Amino acid sequence: MKLQFSSVSPRVACTPEEWNDWRWQFRMSLKSEEDFGRYFSLAPEEVQGFHSQKNIFRAQTTPYYASLADQKNPFDPIRLILMPRVEETQSLHQEMLDPLGERKPENHPRERLIHRYSDRVLFLLTDLCSVYCRYCTRKHFTANDHAFVRNNDYLQALDYIRTHSGIREVILSGGDPLTISDSHLERVLSDLRTIEHVEIIRIHTRMPVVAPMRISEDLCRIIKKHKPVYLITHFNHPREVTVESAMAVEKLVDHGVPVLNQMVLLNGVNNHAAIVQALSRRLLYVRVKPYYMFQCDPSLGSDHLRTSIEESLRIQRELWGHVSGLAMPTYIVDIPEGGGKAALTPNFLTGHQGSVHRFKGWDGVEAEYHSPSDTRPPMDLESYQDEWNELKNSKASL
Ligand SMILES: *Cc1c(COP(=O)(O)O)cnc(C)c1O
Ligand code: SF4
């Protein structure tokens, strides 16, 4: 499979060493209308986006990520992800600052922690990202100048995790947790590893996509040392899978770090089965497992980037059966106001009568499944029952 190198921008004068230094990418980020205007020929809708976007969501991109976008065409998919547009000020359909109800007290037990599901918490380490994706679902937090978590909040969050033994998984999120330094990250990982019931640590980051030079050997060694750590990244479009980002994720996988991908279905960006399959195949080839394909949340200013649920279901159905199960992400609608994730799969069941279920498969084959009449629980169930009860009760005992 052939992947393209990013095209180093001729308008940013720099050495290859600078280009390949993530801190340089961060420092040289495009932030203002002038910065963007130097590289892109801005359309009037984009200029207006800059004039009105201050109230909604800051604009920022690394030069690397900007170099993947078309300089002239405002409807280029990557450009739509990174560029503010006037439509952001037009909230027509249900748009909310906190679509997932993350700020509700019952889901937000401590500063920086979101505890919605029994066995896992989100730990928002920083609100900073290298790129502010225009559809971001966490605009109530992201890009609000909180930076790295304050020491007191940090200790309280750790304490909460330590005293809730049902928490098996800590998801480092943000913002982008890999915008913090290696030494900060090392501290967080080793602090979490002092808590015995934390089995899995996850890092949710867009860095392999927007600043792949962040994924250094040193960083991989730090992550490896605190295994099992899973890294969940966020590619939305096949053109984001460049040689640089492929090398970044392969470096992680070579260090034994499993990498999975979450994508968001976006209007004019990736809302076609051909694009989703191209992305999934490229990811699978570089050993990234497509994990979730999200319906875009009704976050403030995201209307122009959202697709309809009907369209998403159509895309999923078209892919089903044609694309390897390994490459097939699970389609998720995050129920607004904190209802939690709902996975939708094509319905192949055409009806049932008693214990006989009728199906029509992905390519039209029709057949029945006859269920047996009796089942019994496994004889060793008892030895697993306590663990299960503890898990189910962990959210109730907050
Ligand atoms: C999505 C999400 C998770 C992670 O869910 P998975 O299905 O395990 O990927 C955890 N906590 C919150 C609040 C979430 O929104
Ligand atoms: S990287 Fe994630 S948190 Fe940051 S702006 Fe994009 S979607 Fe939001």
Side-chain angles (χ1 to χ4, degrees), residues 114 116-117 120 122 171 202 291-292 341:
I114 300 167
R116 174 75 188 85
Y117 301 100
R120 52 209 192 278
L122 288 181
I171 301 173
R202 272 157 66 165
Y291 177 43
Y292 283 159
K341 293 183 177 71

PDB file of all heavy atoms in Angstrom, residues 114 116-117 120 122 171 202 291-292 341, ligand 1:
ATOM      1  N   ILE A 114     -14.358  12.444  34.700  1.00  0.00           N
ATOM      2  CA  ILE A 114     -15.713  12.147  34.253  1.00  0.00           C
ATOM      3  C   ILE A 114     -15.940  10.652  34.473  1.00  0.00           C
ATOM      4  O   ILE A 114     -15.210   9.819  33.929  1.00  0.00           O
ATOM      5  CB  ILE A 114     -15.916  12.539  32.781  1.00  0.00           C
ATOM      6  CG1 ILE A 114     -15.672  14.050  32.633  1.00  0.00           C
ATOM      7  CG2 ILE A 114     -17.335  12.205  32.323  1.00  0.00           C
ATOM      8  CD1 ILE A 114     -15.541  14.508  31.217  1.00  0.00           C
ATOM      9  N   ARG A 116     -18.747   8.025  34.119  1.00  0.00           N
ATOM     10  CA  ARG A 116     -20.067   7.767  33.557  1.00  0.00           C
ATOM     11  C   ARG A 116     -20.378   6.278  33.560  1.00  0.00           C
ATOM     12  O   ARG A 116     -21.509   5.873  33.702  1.00  0.00           O
ATOM     13  CB  ARG A 116     -20.093   8.327  32.128  1.00  0.00           C
ATOM     14  CG  ARG A 116     -21.322   8.049  31.332  1.00  0.00           C
ATOM     15  CD  ARG A 116     -22.478   8.916  31.778  1.00  0.00           C
ATOM     16  NE  ARG A 116     -23.714   8.507  31.120  1.00  0.00           N
ATOM     17  CZ  ARG A 116     -24.512   7.537  31.534  1.00  0.00           C
ATOM     18  NH1 ARG A 116     -24.216   6.870  32.615  1.00  0.00           N
ATOM     19  NH2 ARG A 116     -25.604   7.215  30.868  1.00  0.00           N
ATOM     20  N   TYR A 117     -19.339   5.472  33.333  1.00  0.00           N
ATOM     21  CA  TYR A 117     -19.501   4.022  33.264  1.00  0.00           C
ATOM     22  C   TYR A 117     -18.832   3.384  34.479  1.00  0.00           C
ATOM     23  O   TYR A 117     -17.842   3.910  34.990  1.00  0.00           O
ATOM     24  CB  TYR A 117     -18.860   3.475  31.987  1.00  0.00           C
ATOM     25  CG  TYR A 117     -19.456   4.067  30.731  1.00  0.00           C
ATOM     26  CD1 TYR A 117     -18.813   5.092  30.054  1.00  0.00           C
ATOM     27  CD2 TYR A 117     -20.669   3.604  30.245  1.00  0.00           C
ATOM     28  CE1 TYR A 117     -19.363   5.650  28.899  1.00  0.00           C
ATOM     29  CE2 TYR A 117     -21.223   4.156  29.098  1.00  0.00           C
ATOM     30  CZ  TYR A 117     -20.562   5.173  28.429  1.00  0.00           C
ATOM     31  OH  TYR A 117     -21.114   5.713  27.308  1.00  0.00           O
ATOM     32  N   ARG A 120     -14.718   2.551  34.338  1.00  0.00           N
ATOM     33  CA  ARG A 120     -13.699   3.409  33.743  1.00  0.00           C
ATOM     34  C   ARG A 120     -14.000   4.886  33.939  1.00  0.00           C
ATOM     35  O   ARG A 120     -15.160   5.292  33.953  1.00  0.00           O
ATOM     36  CB  ARG A 120     -13.516   3.091  32.258  1.00  0.00           C
ATOM     37  CG  ARG A 120     -14.806   3.096  31.436  1.00  0.00           C
ATOM     38  CD  ARG A 120     -14.649   2.112  30.269  1.00  0.00           C
ATOM     39  NE  ARG A 120     -15.692   2.210  29.258  1.00  0.00           N
ATOM     40  CZ  ARG A 120     -16.884   1.635  29.371  1.00  0.00           C
ATOM     41  NH1 ARG A 120     -17.227   0.978  30.454  1.00  0.00           N
ATOM     42  NH2 ARG A 120     -17.754   1.741  28.385  1.00  0.00           N
ATOM     43  N   LEU A 122     -12.730   8.993  32.763  1.00  0.00           N
ATOM     44  CA  LEU A 122     -11.933   9.883  31.917  1.00  0.00           C
ATOM     45  C   LEU A 122     -11.191  10.838  32.839  1.00  0.00           C
ATOM     46  O   LEU A 122     -11.786  11.422  33.746  1.00  0.00           O
ATOM     47  CB  LEU A 122     -12.824  10.723  31.015  1.00  0.00           C
ATOM     48  CG  LEU A 122     -13.543  10.086  29.835  1.00  0.00           C
ATOM     49  CD1 LEU A 122     -14.336  11.162  29.103  1.00  0.00           C
ATOM     50  CD2 LEU A 122     -12.559   9.459  28.883  1.00  0.00           C
ATOM     51  N   ILE A 171      -8.785   6.556  31.508  1.00  0.00           N
ATOM     52  CA  ILE A 171      -8.604   7.056  30.146  1.00  0.00           C
ATOM     53  C   ILE A 171      -8.038   8.465  30.225  1.00  0.00           C
ATOM     54  O   ILE A 171      -8.714   9.390  30.693  1.00  0.00           O
ATOM     55  CB  ILE A 171      -9.956   7.063  29.409  1.00  0.00           C
ATOM     56  CG1 ILE A 171     -10.533   5.637  29.375  1.00  0.00           C
ATOM     57  CG2 ILE A 171      -9.800   7.641  28.005  1.00  0.00           C
ATOM     58  CD1 ILE A 171     -11.944   5.544  28.831  1.00  0.00           C
ATOM     59  N   ARG A 202      -5.578   4.072  29.245  1.00  0.00           N
ATOM     60  CA  ARG A 202      -5.764   4.428  27.837  1.00  0.00           C
ATOM     61  C   ARG A 202      -5.301   5.852  27.629  1.00  0.00           C
ATOM     62  O   ARG A 202      -5.519   6.704  28.473  1.00  0.00           O
ATOM     63  CB  ARG A 202      -7.245   4.327  27.456  1.00  0.00           C
ATOM     64  CG  ARG A 202      -7.638   2.944  26.997  1.00  0.00           C
ATOM     65  CD  ARG A 202      -9.112   2.678  27.161  1.00  0.00           C
ATOM     66  NE  ARG A 202      -9.966   3.501  26.324  1.00  0.00           N
ATOM     67  CZ  ARG A 202     -11.259   3.206  26.113  1.00  0.00           C
ATOM     68  NH1 ARG A 202     -11.810   2.132  26.640  1.00  0.00           N
ATOM     69  NH2 ARG A 202     -12.003   3.992  25.381  1.00  0.00           N
ATOM     70  N   TYR A 291     -11.852   1.245  15.701  1.00  0.00           N
ATOM     71  CA  TYR A 291     -12.595   0.903  16.917  1.00  0.00           C
ATOM     72  C   TYR A 291     -14.019   1.457  16.821  1.00  0.00           C
ATOM     73  O   TYR A 291     -14.968   0.713  16.658  1.00  0.00           O
ATOM     74  CB  TYR A 291     -11.820   1.491  18.100  1.00  0.00           C
ATOM     75  CG  TYR A 291     -12.408   1.331  19.485  1.00  0.00           C
ATOM     76  CD1 TYR A 291     -12.982   0.131  19.905  1.00  0.00           C
ATOM     77  CD2 TYR A 291     -12.344   2.386  20.397  1.00  0.00           C
ATOM     78  CE1 TYR A 291     -13.482  -0.001  21.193  1.00  0.00           C
ATOM     79  CE2 TYR A 291     -12.840   2.265  21.681  1.00  0.00           C
ATOM     80  CZ  TYR A 291     -13.417   1.065  22.080  1.00  0.00           C
ATOM     81  OH  TYR A 291     -13.908   0.950  23.346  1.00  0.00           O
ATOM     82  N   TYR A 292     -14.161   2.766  16.867  1.00  0.00           N
ATOM     83  CA  TYR A 292     -15.486   3.368  16.815  1.00  0.00           C
ATOM     84  C   TYR A 292     -15.616   4.318  15.628  1.00  0.00           C
ATOM     85  O   TYR A 292     -14.652   5.001  15.246  1.00  0.00           O
ATOM     86  CB  TYR A 292     -15.766   4.184  18.079  1.00  0.00           C
ATOM     87  CG  TYR A 292     -16.123   3.378  19.316  1.00  0.00           C
ATOM     88  CD1 TYR A 292     -15.962   3.943  20.583  1.00  0.00           C
ATOM     89  CD2 TYR A 292     -16.629   2.086  19.230  1.00  0.00           C
ATOM     90  CE1 TYR A 292     -16.303   3.232  21.737  1.00  0.00           C
ATOM     91  CE2 TYR A 292     -16.969   1.378  20.375  1.00  0.00           C
ATOM     92  CZ  TYR A 292     -16.804   1.945  21.625  1.00  0.00           C
ATOM     93  OH  TYR A 292     -17.143   1.262  22.752  1.00  0.00           O
ATOM     94  N   LYS A 341     -23.142   5.752  25.415  1.00  0.00           N
ATOM     95  CA  LYS A 341     -22.959   5.304  24.033  1.00  0.00           C
ATOM     96  C   LYS A 341     -23.990   4.249  23.661  1.00  0.00           C
ATOM     97  O   LYS A 341     -24.267   3.360  24.440  1.00  0.00           O
ATOM     98  CB  LYS A 341     -21.558   4.723  23.869  1.00  0.00           C
ATOM     99  CG  LYS A 341     -20.454   5.751  24.013  1.00  0.00           C
ATOM    100  CD  LYS A 341     -19.096   5.126  23.758  1.00  0.00           C
ATOM    101  CE  LYS A 341     -17.989   6.158  23.835  1.00  0.00           C
ATOM    102  NZ  LYS A 341     -17.774   6.605  25.231  1.00  0.00           N
TER     103      LYS A 341
HETATM  104  C1  LIG B   1     -16.757   7.157  25.584  1.00  0.00           C
HETATM  105  C2  LIG B   1     -16.503   7.243  27.004  1.00  0.00           C
HETATM  106  C3  LIG B   1     -15.717   6.287  27.661  1.00  0.00           C
HETATM  107  C4  LIG B   1     -15.051   5.150  26.940  1.00  0.00           C
HETATM  108  O1  LIG B   1     -15.972   4.234  26.470  1.00  0.00           O
HETATM  109  P1  LIG B   1     -15.534   2.936  25.675  1.00  0.00           P
HETATM  110  O2  LIG B   1     -16.809   2.392  25.130  1.00  0.00           O
HETATM  111  O3  LIG B   1     -14.889   2.014  26.672  1.00  0.00           O
HETATM  112  O4  LIG B   1     -14.559   3.327  24.637  1.00  0.00           O
HETATM  113  C5  LIG B   1     -15.559   6.420  29.009  1.00  0.00           C
HETATM  114  N1  LIG B   1     -16.144   7.416  29.704  1.00  0.00           N
HETATM  115  C6  LIG B   1     -16.899   8.343  29.110  1.00  0.00           C
HETATM  116  C7  LIG B   1     -17.511   9.410  29.919  1.00  0.00           C
HETATM  117  C8  LIG B   1     -17.100   8.292  27.737  1.00  0.00           C
HETATM  118  O5  LIG B   1     -17.855   9.232  27.126  1.00  0.00           O
END
